[in-house]
């Protein structure tokens, strides 16, 4: 059986502990099943089992699946509009400001977060700065880079395809990289040709994947970000970008992510 997707591992652990972020951004292309995951997440927060499962037959889950649970509001994409207008967001925020009707949580799911108009995004941001209790926002997008950075800075972002979803093949680095500063570790890759550099980065991805499965829940977000950064670096290397620059960029990212010295030492 393939290992469970990492996004699921993270969400499951948060649901179990009841320590969810106030807002999420699930991103990944059309095949990434982000809508499905958003629905499963909503069900997990409302269902008595408090588990992310794909096939719970209970009445609560059925209501969510059928779209008639009063504590789930799902703003679907609108084909012909030029963007998500402030009126729709105001309605959503209004809805979110009330206590849950039936469950312990309210879940607001917003498709195509990259299409928020500036005005709508500002309204949403204000709420995300002081999120109503018992409400979880789940924003979905195909393209994270199109989502306003101010929004990105307020959400717990989870990539739903690429290596976060699929464990890369191969083996990790022979020597775990966490014992040396990132610049120093990544220097090893600086002189490598494209194929060797890709293998080097892949090894690092595998390393973070393995760590993600064993680290405590408080460190999951950092490791998830690290996987993401290595993935970005690998995409750049695939596109034949200057390897040295890519690795310098990656070192900066990893240093930022693991700025507390013990973060990587597990
Ligand atoms: Zn259920």
């Amino acid at each position: 059986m393939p290992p469970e997707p990492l996004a699921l591992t993270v969400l499951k652990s948060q649901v179990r502990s009841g320590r969810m972020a106030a807002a999420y951004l699930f991103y990944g292309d059309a095949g990434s099943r982000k809508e499905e995951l958003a629905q499963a997440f909503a069900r997990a927060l409302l269902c008595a089992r408090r588990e992310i499962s794909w096939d719970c037959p209970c009445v609560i889950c059925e209501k969510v699946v059928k779209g008639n649970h009063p504590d789930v509001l799902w703003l679907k994409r609108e084909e012909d509009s030029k963007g998500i207008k402030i009126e729709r967001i105001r309605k959503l925020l209004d809805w979110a400001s009330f206590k849950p009707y039936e469950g312990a949580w309210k879940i607001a799911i917003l498709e195509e977060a990259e299409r928020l108009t500036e005005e709508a995004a500002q309204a949403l941001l204000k709420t995300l700065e002081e999120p109503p209790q018992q409400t979880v926002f789940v924003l979905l997008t195909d393209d994270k880079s199109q989502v306003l950075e101010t929004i990105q800075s307020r959400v717990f972002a989870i990539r739903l395809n690429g290596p976060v979803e699929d464990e890369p093949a191969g083996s990790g680095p022979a020597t775990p990289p966490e014992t040396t500063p990132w610049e120093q570790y990544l220097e090893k890759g600086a002189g490598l040709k494209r194929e060797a550099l890709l293998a080097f980065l892949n090894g690092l991805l595998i390393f973070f994947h393995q760590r993600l499965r064993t680290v405590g829940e408080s460190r999951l977000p950092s490791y998830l970000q690290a996987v993401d950064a290595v993935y970005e670096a690998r995409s750049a290397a695939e596109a034949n970008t200057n390897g040295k620059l890519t690795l310098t960029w990656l070192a900066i990212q990893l240093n930022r992510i693991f700025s507390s010295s013990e973060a990587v030492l597990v």
Side-chain angles (χ1 to χ4, degrees):
M1 218 172 84
E4 181 179 80
L6 290 168
L8 255 189
T9 308
V10 172
L11 288 179
K12 278 186 174 178
S13 136
Q14 293 184 340
V15 167
R16 237 174 266 140
S17 65
R19 287 210 299 263
M20 281 75 64
Y24 291 84
L25 177 68
F26 292 174
Y27 66 103
D29 58 30
S32 66
R33 300 169 75 203
K34 50 190 177 300
E35 294 80 8
E36 225 174 299
L37 183 67
Q39 190 190 77
F41 184 41
R43 284 169 40 198
L45 293 177
L46 296 168
C47 170
R49 292 169 60 187
R50 293 192 69 81
E51 267 295 330
I52 294 186
S53 76
W54 308 100
D55 50 8
C56 176
C58 83
V59 181
I60 297 168
C61 285
E62 197 190 311
K63 273 191 184 177
V64 177
V65 171
K66 287 193 173 154
N68 49 27
H69 196 295
D71 292 324
V72 180
L73 186 69
W74 197 307
L75 289 195
K76 300 264 181 198
R77 62 173 298 156
E78 272 186 350
E79 285 300 340
D80 46 74
S81 84
K82 289 219 165 68
I84 302 170
K85 296 206 183 82
I86 189 157
E87 290 77 20
R88 290 189 86 198
I89 293 301
R90 272 202 196 115
K91 267 187 202 153
L92 176 133
L93 296 177
D94 212 42
W95 173 87
S97 68
F98 292 97
K99 284 195 172 139
Y101 299 101
E102 291 180 8
W105 294 93
K106 295 182 97 162
I107 301 96
I109 300 163
L110 173 69
E111 291 187 6
E112 298 189 298
E114 76 283 0
R115 297 181 72 240
L116 283 164
T117 60
E118 182 73 37
E119 213 187 356
Q122 290 311 329
L124 179 61
L125 262 176
K126 241 186 220 158
T127 298
L128 294 185
E129 276 160 19
E130 279 176 64
Q133 281 183 349
Q134 295 171 289
T135 301
V136 175
F137 293 88
V138 182
L139 314 184
L140 310 179
T141 185
D142 286 2
D143 187 357
K144 182 176 153 218
S145 67
Q146 298 294 311
V147 177
L148 289 175
E149 285 201 8
T150 41
I151 296 271
Q152 286 190 41
S153 69
R154 289 275 164 195
V155 295
F156 186 108
I158 298 184
R159 182 199 289 273
L160 291 184
N161 56 353
V164 170
E165 190 77 357
D166 308 308
E167 183 110 23
S171 57
T175 317
E178 74 266 57
T179 48
T180 36
W182 288 110
E183 300 86 330
Q184 214 173 311
Y185 176 78
L186 294 172
E187 238 168 51
K188 292 182 198 169
L192 299 175
K193 292 229 160 66
R194 184 173 179 272
E195 289 310 309
L197 177 59
L198 286 174
F200 175 77
L201 290 172
N202 220 37
L204 200 55
L205 267 180
I206 291 163
F207 163 78
F208 281 126
H209 264 265
Q210 289 162 349
R211 282 287 191 265
L212 258 169
R213 298 188 189 287
T214 53
V215 288
E217 143 202 330
S218 62
R219 287 172 177 175
L220 280 172
S222 308
Y223 280 82
L224 209 59
Q225 284 177 40
V227 171
D228 217 40
V230 183
Y231 181 65
E232 296 290 325
R234 204 181 65 166
S235 300
E238 269 166 357
N240 269 324
T241 316
N242 180 314
K244 204 167 180 306
L245 281 182
T246 301
L247 291 168
T248 306
W249 174 85
L250 183 58
I252 293 169
Q253 301 304 313
L254 293 177
N255 283 332
R256 181 182 53 79
I257 294 165
F258 297 111
S259 53
S260 91
S261 58
E262 40 141 45
V264 161
L265 299 166
V266 288

